[in-house]
Amino acid sequence: MIVTTFPPLAASLFSLIAIASLLLAFVMLGSRWLRHYIYAFAAESWLIAVLSAAVGFYGGFPELYVIAVLTVLFRGCILPYLILRIVRPLDVAREVDVGLQPSSSLVAGAFAVIFALVVASHLSVGLGLAGTVAVLALTVMLSLKLIGFLMLTVRHEAVSQVLGLLVLENGIFLGAQILVPGMPLLIEIVILFDLLIVVVCFGILVRYLSSHVGSTSALSLNRLVG
Amino acid sequence: MAGVLLLLIVLAPVAAIVVILLTRRPRLAERLNLAASAVSFGAALLLPGASLGGAHVFLDQYVIADPFGAWVILCAAIVYFLASIYGIGYMRMLDEEARLARFYALFAGFGLTTMVAPMMNNAGLYWIAIELTTLVSTFLVAFERAPESIEAAWKYIIVVSGGISLALFGTVLFYWAGTFVLGPSYAMTWAVLGAAAPHMNPTLIALAFLLVLVGYGTKVGLAPMHTWLPDAHSEGPAPVSALLSGALLNAAMIGVIRYLSIAEAAHAGPLPRAVLVVLGAFSLFIAALFIVRQSGIKRLMAYSSVEHMGVMALGFGFGGPFGVAGALYHMLNHTLNKSLMFFGAGSMMRTFGTKEITLIRRVGRYFPVVGGLWLAGAVAITGAPPFGLFASELTILRAGLSGINAWAAILMAILLIVIFIGFLNHFRIMYFVAPESETAPQGRVSAWCAAPMWLAFIPVLVLGLWWPEAIWHYFGVIAHGLVPGPAEVALR
């Protein structure tokens, strides 16, 4: 199993990056400003790229360098740029009506991390991986998932929801770099391109929302019920 | 042979899309799309026969033609073909001449993605194919550009993308579980996963399967992840609704079932199957509640899709030859029958100019033929004899009553009766209750709209009266393939 073969220094480096990206997710949870979300997402993507390169270096997977470069390019530059372009004409700088105040969201996020840790450590005991970097990878993966869903439920602005979805994906991508670094290159590249298309589609839909519905807040999407 | 058929199924819509986008002529676009769907349908009709006898894998094992996949492709191709005929009549009523070419390009793309997903032999590529179906169909749902359509499209893409990201998580965990057996890099095909499964960690597999089930289950429309479904089905144009219901939901179902058989092979315990059964039963329950109190005609059909996906989930969940055969037969019957229902609903919606059930009255008087066909379809979709859905639902019930899931089978029978009463009550009002103020429908139902209703109705009737022996054998082959057999290759 690959995660047990990393040298201690590498494992600590991976842990550091994983924890840092988790913290960036909390930055998103704790802020109301859309711009903060986008910067935090971009920073998280850069961290994931560093992680890919580091795993590639220590694990001996040269193809991960390609992934690292593509991650920086797509997730770190193009996606944040596209989302900034979506936000700019909207005249919405921050979340107005949040379902849960940022402070309460932070607490909820903390509970999500604890839950993720319990699940991850339980799983890793069964797999004989207790105490390895795999526990942390699983924890971060699960917590980013839960935090992404939390953002989707408590934030109403269209752009926050898109970023919530991207956080979900970031979590998977981050964990996948540590747990399954040997995942075929083709799949990872296709998923990266797929994300790009997803964001473009979201951009078009947000434009429809603001021109045909007159608002980009999910609170105004209340016609279809029952 | 199978390779040529797969190629035809894929290339016909691709060619149509390219030419439509290059020429951008509405009349040419509808004909090209119809021709493409006819070619795909013809090829898909031969595919089940060609897929028998060993695994047919192509393109470095990325593409597969197996009996299960071929069946789902056939269902998708049928509804794509029928909806393409219907679309010609329906879209002309919409008065969107300028954007018609774009509609047909997207429509062919949607049909294509629903037929491609079951061909994918690699779990990662399957995920991408399912994701693509969402992206293409979102714009079809939003096509009418009314605030309601945009709202439906937004909810659709957000809910489904959230769900599908869970499926990606599950996929990664399945891959991870495989690395303990196969080393860090391997091709993640269904066969390889299935063969390695007995050596995987059961707890990890159980978790991964639950994630995949919730993820693809969102796309299948299993309650409580069904929330996008009534909105998207009711706000898109009627041919799109038919394709969503008859092709897309099945394309996601096949993924759930393929993962289920891997989870079973990994000895993940009774949990995976039990959760599938519970979700199926809950879908029926939710559908029953909302069907009884429904006021929108297309939302009624949408909740009926939730119901039938629940029935299918129960069939696969009960398992065994009867459960699997019943579910697969149900898939075909539902595809045909629900297309018929959406075609009728779309025509009534356009002629009466409303989506409200209470404003559509005396359908039988104004439309004796089409109305009669639609009413017969309504009787069929509630599972009454002598139609196809009666046969398949009975088979599923039979499979369920004999096992540990008898409670679910009994619940299913009760809920089906509730839905029967609730669903037909709406049709009683639309056909036989005189309105307070007479509103006559405008215009008539064109032959383009009526013909596919006949084409859907006749097979539903025939399949109810006669379950061909060949199909029964075919289901046996699929059911056998889903059970982890003793012939598993021992790894390491």
Side-chain angles (χ1 to χ4, degrees):
Chain A
M1 175 60 321
I2 191 81
V3 278
T4 52
T5 59
F6 291 128
L9 179 67
S12 330
L13 181 63
F14 301 161
S15 314
L16 188 69
I17 297 174
I19 298 282
S21 14
L22 191 56
L23 280 178
L24 283 168
F26 274 93
V27 169
M28 289 196 202
L29 267 185
S31 174
R32 281 186 168 212
W33 298 88
L34 296 184
R35 206 161 270 274
H36 290 178
Y37 300 166
I38 301 170
Y39 291 147
F41 169 76
E44 204 176 83
S45 309
W46 281 79
L47 278 179
I48 293 177
V50 174
L51 179 68
S52 297
V55 174
F57 179 74
Y58 287 108
F61 295 97
E63 69 269 21
L64 281 183
Y65 296 132
V66 182
I67 298 285
V69 173
L70 287 176
T71 307
V72 166
L73 197 66
F74 281 94
R75 284 172 188 260
C77 301
I78 299 179
L79 290 188
Y81 169 73
L82 283 177
I83 299 169
L84 275 175
R85 269 195 54 178
I86 298 173
V87 178
R88 210 167 288 147
L90 287 183
D91 197 30
V92 186
R94 68 191 192 103
E95 283 280 352
V96 187
D97 314 292
V98 283
L100 202 61
Q101 289 302 319
S103 46
S104 325
S105 326
L106 285 176
V107 176
F111 278 111
V113 175
I114 293 168
F115 174 71
L117 183 63
V118 171
V119 174
S121 47
H122 177 76
L123 254 185
S124 56
V125 168
L127 290 165
L129 291 172
T132 61
V133 70
V135 185
L136 198 73
L138 268 176
T139 310
V140 172
M141 232 171 161
L142 273 168
S143 1
L144 284 182
K145 248 305 45 141
L146 294 168
I147 290 173
F149 276 115
L150 193 63
M151 275 187 73
L152 276 175
T153 40
V154 303
R155 301 286 155 87
H156 303 304
E157 202 50 54
V159 178
S160 322
Q161 298 194 331
V162 176
L163 280 164
L165 283 177
L166 289 175
V167 169
L168 295 180
E169 303 258 352
N170 259 2
I172 300 169
F173 218 73
L174 188 144
Q177 301 306 320
I178 299 177
L179 295 182
V180 288
M183 191 136 151
L185 187 65
L186 175 80
I187 305 284
E188 300 209 25
I189 291 177
V190 176
I191 290 177
L192 275 175
F193 274 102
D194 170 76
L195 262 188
L196 195 65
I197 303 170
V198 171
V199 171
V200 170
C201 290
F202 274 118
I204 300 172
L205 270 180
V206 171
R207 228 175 51 214
Y208 286 173
L209 275 178
S210 63
S211 63
H212 295 272
V213 183
S215 156
T216 48
S217 167
L219 289 178
S220 59
L221 298 178
N222 51 10
R223 289 163 193 260
L224 301 172
V225 283
Chain B
M1 180 62 182
V4 176
L5 292 176
L6 287 184
L7 215 56
L8 273 177
I9 290 172
V10 172
L11 284 185
V14 169
I17 295 168
V18 171
V19 179
I20 288 171
L21 288 179
L22 287 178
T23 56
R24 292 197 171 266
R25 295 232 293 277
R27 291 288 89 74
L28 183 69
E30 50 187 39
R31 283 197 197 122
L32 278 173
N33 177 55
L34 181 60
S37 67
V39 172
S40 293
F41 170 64
L45 209 53
L46 300 174
L47 190 61
S51 69
L52 286 170
H56 303 267
V57 288
F58 309 95
L59 291 181
D60 215 6
Q61 297 213 334
Y62 283 121
V63 174
I64 189 168
D66 65 332
F68 193 11
W71 187 254
V72 179
I73 294 171
L74 174 63
C75 290
I78 289 173
V79 56
Y80 174 39
F81 178 54
L82 292 178
S84 294
I85 306 174
Y86 181 79
I88 293 181
Y90 185 86
M91 295 313 287
R92 283 181 186 173
M93 290 193 278
L94 281 191
D95 203 25
E96 287 276 10
E97 224 32 28
R99 294 195 294 136
L100 214 52
R102 201 189 311 167
F103 172 82
Y104 280 109
L106 280 171
F107 194 72
F110 186 28
L112 174 69
T113 50
T114 55
M115 293 185 292
V116 163
M119 294 177 196
M120 292 294 112
N121 193 24
N122 184 296
L125 286 185
Y126 172 76
W127 182 85
I128 290 161
I130 291 291
E131 171 89 10
L132 279 180
T133 61
T134 314
L135 297 179
V136 178
S137 52
T138 303
F139 291 101
L140 288 170
V141 171
F143 184 74
E144 289 178 19
R145 298 278 172 92
E148 286 88 358
S149 319
I150 311 280
E151 176 180 338
W154 182 258
K155 287 180 177 170
Y156 173 42
I157 196 166
I158 290 283
V159 172
V160 170
S161 303
I164 216 98
S165 80
L166 284 176
L168 181 62
F169 190 12
T171 309
V172 168
L173 289 187
F174 264 106
Y175 188 90
W176 190 41
T179 58
F180 290 88
V181 186
L182 300 157
S185 284
Y186 63 96
M188 196 189 182
T189 63
W190 306 115
V192 167
L193 275 180
H199 310 278
M200 293 181 188
N201 180 290
T203 324
L204 181 59
I205 291 297
L207 175 69
F209 176 76
L210 290 184
L211 287 166
V212 166
L213 175 60
V214 172
Y216 291 131
T218 310
K219 199 86 207 203
V220 175
L222 293 176
M225 294 86 74
H226 69 290
T227 47
W228 63 273
L229 195 147
D231 295 348
H233 282 57
S234 67
E235 298 309 318
V240 176
S241 315
L243 207 50
L244 280 170
S245 182
L248 176 75
L249 308 186
N250 297 340
M253 183 63 99
I254 187 175
V256 172
I257 304 310
R258 280 185 163 154
Y259 275 112
L260 177 67
S261 79
I262 295 167
E264 299 261 285
H267 310 294
L271 185 73
R273 205 167 268 277
V275 175
L276 185 62
V277 168
V278 169
L279 285 182
F282 190 62
S283 304
L284 268 164
F285 175 68
I286 290 288
L289 288 187
F290 281 87
I291 281 175
V292 170
R293 293 179 45 85
Q294 196 46 254
S295 63
I297 184 65
K298 278 174 84 185
R299 294 182 82 81
L300 181 68
M301 304 305 159
Y303 278 107
S304 163
S305 292
V306 175
E307 172 212 339
H308 287 289
M309 286 301 133
V311 170
M312 249 179 256
L314 282 176
F316 284 120
F318 294 154
F322 280 118
V324 172
L328 290 166
Y329 204 48
H330 200 72
M331 191 181 275
L332 176 64
N333 287 323
H334 172 250
T335 293
L336 288 163
N337 206 168
K338 190 49 66 63
S339 304
L340 166 64
M341 296 316 289
F342 270 119
F343 297 160
S347 304
M348 293 311 132
M349 220 180 81
R350 282 291 144 204
T351 48
F352 282 87
T354 177
K355 285 177 184 164
E356 294 296 311
I357 291 173
T358 46
L359 296 175
I360 300 174
R361 292 293 176 94
R362 292 191 180 249
V363 176
R365 210 184 91 195
Y366 293 115
F367 302 101
V369 180
V370 173
L373 210 52
W374 196 37
L375 184 63
V379 173
I381 201 117
T382 51
F387 300 103
L389 284 103
F390 175 71
S392 44
E393 280 172 1
L394 206 64
T395 315
I396 291 171
L397 274 179
R398 213 168 120 190
L401 282 172
S402 57
I404 50 161
N405 292 313
W407 65 271
I410 294 166
L411 186 66
M412 170 182 157
I414 296 170
L415 289 170
L416 283 178
I417 294 168
V418 172
I419 290 170
F420 176 81
I421 298 169
F423 197 91
L424 288 184
N425 186 41
H426 294 301
F427 275 77
R428 181 185 64 84
I429 294 171
M430 284 192 287
Y431 279 78
F432 305 114
V433 176
E436 284 151 22
S437 58
E438 191 84 15
T439 45
Q442 301 292 312
R444 45 187 290 278
V445 179
S446 68
W448 285 114
C449 292
M453 290 177 76
W454 281 109
L455 289 179
F457 175 73
I458 293 167
V460 169
L461 183 61
V462 172
L463 289 174
L465 296 172
W466 171 56
W467 187 326
E469 193 72 10
I471 294 186
W472 185 254
H473 281 304
Y474 188 72
F475 290 159
V477 174
I478 298 178
H480 188 73
L482 287 177
V483 183
E488 277 162 16
V489 225
L491 290 147
R492 287 210 293 193

